[in-house]
Amino acid sequence: MNTQHISKTLQTIAIFSLIAITGCNKKKETVENTHSEEKISNTLLTEWTGPYSGTPAFDKMNIADIKPALEKGMELNLAEIDAITSNSDAPTFENTIVPLEKSGQELNRVFTYYGILSSNMSSPEFRKIQKEMAPKLSDFRSKISQNEILFQRIKAVYDNSQKQPLEADQQRVVQLTYEQFAMNGAELDTEKKKRYAEINKELSELYTNFSNNILADEEGYVTYLTKDQLGGLSEPLIKAYGKAAADKGQEGTYAVTNTRSSMDPFLKYSTERALREKVWKNYYSRGDNGDDKDNNENIAKILKLRKERVALLGYNNYADWRLQNRMAKNPENAMKLMNAVWPAAIARVKEEVADMQAVADANKDNITIEPWDYRYYAEKVRKKKYDLDSDEVKQYLQLDKLTEAMFFVAGELFNYEFTAVAKGTVPVFHEDVNVWEVKDKTSGEHIGLWYLDPFARTGKRSGAWATTYRSHTTFDGKKTVLASNNSNFVKPAPGEPVLVSWDDATTFFHEFGHALHFFSSEVRYPTLNGGVRDYTEFQSQLLERWLSTDKVIDTYLVHYKTGEPMPKALVAKVKKAATFNQGFATTEYLASALMDMKFHLADPSNIDVDAFEKETLAALDMPKELVMRHRTPHFGHVFSGEGYATAYYGYMWADVLTSDAAEAFAEAPNGFYDKEVAAKLVKYLFAPRNAMDPAEAYRLFRGRDAKIEALMKDRGFPITVK
């Protein structure tokens, strides 16, 4: 659930999808002449060279180059806009939309490096530049989105396409481009455009502040342990915590850092209740400590500005504006889905808490279950109910083997072959990053490169995400894919394997699903690589299902010491316990999704963010024994940009599709490896990206719309929804 699948342009600077899906250009010959004459010495702007059709020069990346590269990239991009708008010929797809699709190449190259420095390699020096550039980037975006002549040319092409339709994918590009400009104020009058631009500028600064505050709290709060405080922790985890402490200059101690991958196993296994509470409070109070890194004021300002901005466009609230072109269409439909699942989720939490309290009472622990106890006692219940020990399962979940398992699945479903690229062949931004070449197994055709950055480090944002450095297109010569998966696994001590939890293994598969979605693209135009937020998580959530298939378990889930496959009895326990703790998992996620929507439906005039969170959750009958997966002050999905704002429900919406699609495989003659169903999966659900309406794409795959019953069944909830 902590995935952030965002285009490289949107990745960390909250650039709305206008830049990602359009850009801007001149007539081709003019652009080529201008760029050939331009003396571009800044590495971040220059065309990528080397094998595999060129790759980012991460080894030459320099923070000092960022600001001048951004400024020059914006200058070149705006010159391309001028060329389009000064064209005296009547607007056509070829002289208006195609140049938009071709443009901004230099700036997009800069954003690739910018995204790495922001998400994977941040530093105080970079954050200073980031803060300085946020308003300048906002001004730049407004110069494009509010360019009246540009919009009129786009509108003319759009209007003509309604009378004389273009080819299907061209029609889709025109529609998406026109809608994007219209949604972002292109039709406003001069005064409203001015205010719209001012709001975007203010928001860009707030998003940057919000993100940097979270990162500062993740770096600033570390819990150090002594040898006598390691009760319940496994040997590999102890070694990893020891290395984390040594890396921070605290040799001889053990560090639980303030990230989910470090926090979660500690809360699950540590016998030190007071320390569990401390670690829990550090993590869930990020951005909410009443200091200069507190995000509550930033959130209040963001909510007010978002409402004011959409009011300029005639919308009552931000959610109505945002969801108009999503699968849900409106907040009512999104809320209907969440409200259908919520009662079953919190009812299951009550059952889980009762089971945990019974264990605590039987052990004479003399406690009442609190949020920092949930994971710890859930493990004891799991052991009691299913004789399943998560730490035992973890011995069979090695990161390297899981990577091999993902390659196997990609080969079976997509006919891909992954081959490791020798170190030094392709530049990387950190020694931890490895690269693989992706080819078609049959033809040997080069598909792209897959970068993996697996470990947590100072300056890297928490969570797991996927992104692209270059996406597949063919309209201007074929472009191969450069895709990246990024995780925050705790780096082991030298010579030790990376052992992960079942949940982390699932997330690893999830993010790889995004990468496969990138690699399988067959679109012509860059705009069509974009996604519909409540649909793009579907493909990756579906790929999670292959982790628990027999072929993966029997071959790749082997003991890290003996190499023996996971015993059948343990496999049976894992599958039997598949719906265990679904109350917790569903409720912590849905609470965040509901809060996201309710914040944006509320009147933000005098909002007290903390109070609103507490009151809304109380009205929802939120169980006191757990908290939202992302508490509001560190809800980066929603407040560090606009990618998931009023769209966090999308994971649940996508999971309805996931559960329904998984049934198609389960019912097929060869199950999850059925070639016929896999071919339809690739053809209709992966390869088209956003070249067709997602609902229509799903109907082509399944023969009907998705039904919620499969989701309720998967979670072990009663099926009462009709």
Side-chain angles (χ1 to χ4, degrees):
M1 296 290 186
N2 55 351
T3 311
Q4 290 200 8
H5 161 222
I6 311 174
S7 74
K8 62 177 179 289
T9 312
L10 283 163
Q11 194 170 32
T12 54
I13 52 175
I15 293 185
F16 50 71
S17 53
L18 167 66
I19 303 299
I21 67 166
T22 61
C24 356
N25 208 334
K26 313 180 179 186
K27 292 181 179 178
K28 185 176 180 182
E29 64 273 14
T30 308
V31 174
E32 289 177 343
N33 290 337
T34 300
H35 291 189
S36 64
E37 294 169 4
E38 192 68 55
K39 299 290 185 182
I40 298 177
S41 58
N42 192 310
T43 301
L44 308 189
L45 286 159
T46 55
E47 192 168 346
W48 298 340
T49 59
Y52 308 111
S53 302
T55 59
F58 290 128
D59 55 335
K60 297 177 182 177
M61 185 169 61
N62 191 320
I63 289 178
D65 290 336
I66 282 288
K67 181 181 174 183
L70 285 172
E71 290 173 340
K72 188 64 179 179
M74 288 187 285
E75 178 189 327
L76 293 171
N77 210 157
L78 291 174
E80 292 169 335
I81 285 286
D82 289 343
I84 295 172
T85 57
S86 62
N87 190 334
S88 59
D89 295 342
T92 65
F93 184 88
E94 289 299 325
N95 69 20
T96 300
I97 303 302
V98 169
L100 284 172
E101 293 293 294
K102 286 184 179 180
S103 72
Q105 292 180 27
E106 292 86 0
L107 187 56
N108 279 335
R109 286 197 286 268
V110 180
F111 283 146
T112 293
Y113 300 107
Y114 191 100
I116 294 298
L117 289 169
S118 178
S119 294
N120 302 66
M121 303 281 289
S122 186
S123 66
E125 181 185 4
F126 173 77
R127 288 170 218 169
K128 184 178 178 181
I129 296 171
Q130 189 180 33
K131 191 169 185 177
E132 179 186 354
M133 293 306 297
K136 294 181 181 181
L137 287 164
S138 181
D139 284 342
F140 161 73
R141 297 192 294 271
S142 294
K143 287 176 183 176
I144 298 175
S145 65
Q146 298 192 1
N147 188 306
E148 179 65 23
I149 300 175
L150 177 64
F151 177 65
Q152 288 305 321
R153 291 188 69 86
I154 293 168
K155 187 175 185 300
V157 177
Y158 173 78
D159 289 343
N160 288 335
S161 74
Q162 302 304 297
K163 303 168 188 172
Q164 294 182 312
L166 301 162
E167 293 179 45
D169 62 342
Q170 294 178 336
Q171 191 81 7
R172 181 77 170 166
V173 171
V174 172
Q175 175 195 337
L176 293 173
T177 303
Y178 170 75
E179 287 177 354
Q180 188 63 45
F181 273 79
M183 280 184 66
N184 284 285
E187 297 179 294
L188 295 175
D189 61 35
T190 303
E191 279 303 307
K192 287 183 177 179
K193 277 185 178 179
K194 181 181 177 183
R195 180 55 189 152
Y196 196 98
E198 290 171 349
I199 290 172
N200 277 340
K201 191 171 183 177
E202 292 178 61
L203 283 171
S204 71
E205 296 180 67
L206 289 168
Y207 296 153
T208 301
N209 289 342
F210 186 96
S211 298
N212 288 340
N213 285 347
I214 298 172
L215 194 53
D217 274 358
E218 287 174 351
E219 294 175 357
Y221 290 83
V222 180
T223 303
Y224 290 100
L225 314 174
T226 58
K227 283 187 177 180
D228 61 350
Q229 295 175 320
L230 303 175
L233 306 182
S234 66
E235 182 182 349
L237 189 58
I238 290 171
K239 288 180 178 178
Y241 286 158
K243 183 181 185 302
D247 289 346
K248 294 180 177 296
Q250 299 292 325
E251 192 82 40
T253 65
Y254 306 84
V256 183
T257 58
N258 206 20
T259 63
R260 180 173 290 275
S261 60
S262 188
M263 169 277 296
D264 194 83
F266 185 80
L267 294 186
K268 189 176 289 184
Y269 301 116
S270 174
T271 57
E272 299 284 338
R273 189 174 190 238
L275 286 173
R276 291 204 309 268
E277 180 179 358
K278 181 181 180 182
V279 168
W280 183 91
K281 286 183 175 177
N282 280 350
Y283 185 78
Y284 286 103
S285 64
R286 289 170 300 148
D288 194 27
N289 290 302
D291 56 11
D292 62 345
K293 301 296 186 292
D294 192 283
N295 269 330
N296 286 287
E297 185 178 344
N298 285 329
I299 295 164
K301 290 177 180 177
I302 288 169
L303 291 169
K304 290 173 189 173
L305 288 170
R306 283 177 175 171
K307 183 173 176 62
E308 181 187 355
R309 192 182 67 189
V310 300
L312 294 172
L313 298 168
Y315 292 88
N316 291 326
N317 58 67
Y318 183 88
D320 283 339
W321 171 79
R322 171 55 73 197
L323 269 63
Q324 61 185 291
N325 61 355
R326 303 287 167 88
M327 287 191 79
K329 302 303 181 188
N330 57 60
E332 290 76 22
N333 287 338
M335 288 296 294
K336 181 180 178 182
L337 170 62
M338 291 189 284
N339 287 331
V341 180
W342 180 255
I346 61 174
R348 180 58 53 82
V349 167
K350 290 180 181 177
E351 296 173 10
E352 292 171 1
V353 170
D355 288 341
M356 291 187 290
Q357 191 65 56
V359 169
D361 292 345
N363 290 344
K364 295 182 169 52
D365 290 340
N366 195 30
I367 62 114
T368 299
I369 300 297
E370 297 286 355
W372 45 89
D373 299 316
Y374 209 115
R375 292 169 176 84
Y376 179 74
Y377 283 97
E379 282 307 300
K380 293 186 177 299
V381 173
R382 192 197 308 264
K383 180 71 173 173
K384 179 183 176 183
K385 276 195 168 185
Y386 302 100
D387 191 25
L388 181 63
D389 183 346
S390 290
D391 207 36
E392 182 186 1
V393 176
K394 200 171 183 179
Q395 315 305 307
Y396 296 89
L397 297 172
Q398 303 173 68
L399 188 64
D400 288 348
K401 287 293 184 180
L402 288 168
T403 305
E404 291 177 21
M406 296 192 310
F407 294 165
F408 166 74
V409 171
E412 292 294 298
L413 300 183
F414 295 82
N415 204 41
Y416 291 160
E417 179 180 57
F418 285 71
T419 306
V421 173
K423 284 279 191 181
T425 306
V426 172
V428 294
F429 52 84
H430 191 278
E431 61 183 6
D432 290 343
V433 179
N434 288 302
V435 186
W436 286 260
E437 182 182 10
V438 187
K439 290 182 177 180
D440 182 276
K441 285 200 299 185
T442 304
S443 67
E445 178 190 6
H446 172 73
I447 305 294
L449 296 179
W450 183 64
Y451 295 69
L452 176 62
D453 181 21
F455 301 124
R457 71 174 72 90
T458 300
K460 186 177 183 181
R461 67 180 174 89
S462 63
W465 66 97
T467 190
T468 53
Y469 308 140
R470 182 172 64 220
S471 296
H472 168 92
T473 56
T474 58
F475 83 115
D476 191 30
K478 184 177 179 179
K479 302 293 188 298
T480 57
V481 179
L482 302 178
S484 174
N485 281 149
N486 310 270
S487 303
N488 268 280
F489 298 114
V490 178
K491 192 171 185 178
E496 295 291 324
V498 184
L499 303 179
V500 306
S501 69
W502 188 269
D503 285 347
D504 281 342
T506 301
T507 299
F508 197 43
F509 267 67
H510 175 108
E511 295 307 328
F512 190 63
H514 285 306
L516 291 176
H517 202 182
F518 302 148
F519 287 128
S520 60
S521 171
E522 291 185 354
V523 305
R524 272 199 288 181
Y525 300 98
T527 288
L528 301 181
N529 274 310
V532 178
R533 185 63 65 189
D534 49 10
Y535 181 66
T536 54
E537 294 299 334
F538 156 53
Q539 289 82 356
S540 52
Q541 288 179 184
L542 183 60
L543 200 80
E544 296 172 13
R545 303 302 179 100
W546 273 264
L547 172 62
S548 57
T549 59
D550 291 340
K551 288 187 178 183
V552 166
I553 290 173
D554 294 344
T555 307
Y556 301 100
L557 304 195
V558 299
H559 196 278
Y560 79 103
K561 286 184 177 178
T562 67
E564 292 296 316
M566 185 182 286
K568 296 296 183 185
L570 183 56
V571 172
K573 291 176 187 177
V574 169
K575 293 189 175 184
K576 186 178 179 183
T579 61
F580 176 74
N581 222 32
Q582 271 299 322
F584 175 88
T586 306
T587 300
E588 68 155 7
Y589 157 71
L590 264 183
S592 290
L594 285 163
M595 284 302 311
D596 168 33
M597 194 66 72
K598 287 180 177 291
F599 263 118
H600 289 92
L601 293 172
D603 180 359
S605 301
N606 297 295
I607 196 164
D608 179 325
V609 173
D610 262 343
F612 186 85
E613 179 185 283
K614 289 184 178 71
E615 291 164 6
T616 303
L617 291 174
L620 287 168
D621 198 21
M622 176 74 172
K624 66 179 180 60
E625 295 85 2
L626 74 162
V627 294
M628 301 159 60
R629 184 175 180 84
H630 305 286
R631 282 204 54 237
T632 310
H634 52 253
F635 203 171
H637 287 75
V638 173
F639 296 111
S640 66
E642 299 194 28
Y644 280 89
T646 67
Y648 198 64
Y649 78 90
Y651 286 100
M652 179 66 68
W653 191 278
D655 214 16
V656 171
L657 302 175
T658 298
S659 296
D660 192 76
E663 284 199 343
F665 276 99
E667 294 163 359
N670 294 300
F672 278 79
Y673 295 91
D674 189 272
K675 295 297 184 183
E676 185 177 336
V677 180
K680 290 174 65 178
L681 176 84
V682 176
K683 180 178 180 179
Y684 297 122
L685 302 183
F686 276 76
R689 297 289 296 173
N690 199 14
M692 68 172 71
D693 179 81
E696 177 59 25
Y698 190 82
R699 281 190 288 269
L700 288 170
F701 166 74
R702 194 70 164 108
R704 58 167 175 75
D705 290 328
K707 300 176 181 178
I708 193 176
E709 286 80 2
L711 176 132
M712 301 296 280
K713 178 182 174 183
D714 278 346
R715 294 178 183 235
F717 295 162
I719 301 173
T720 58
V721 183
K722 300 298 181 185

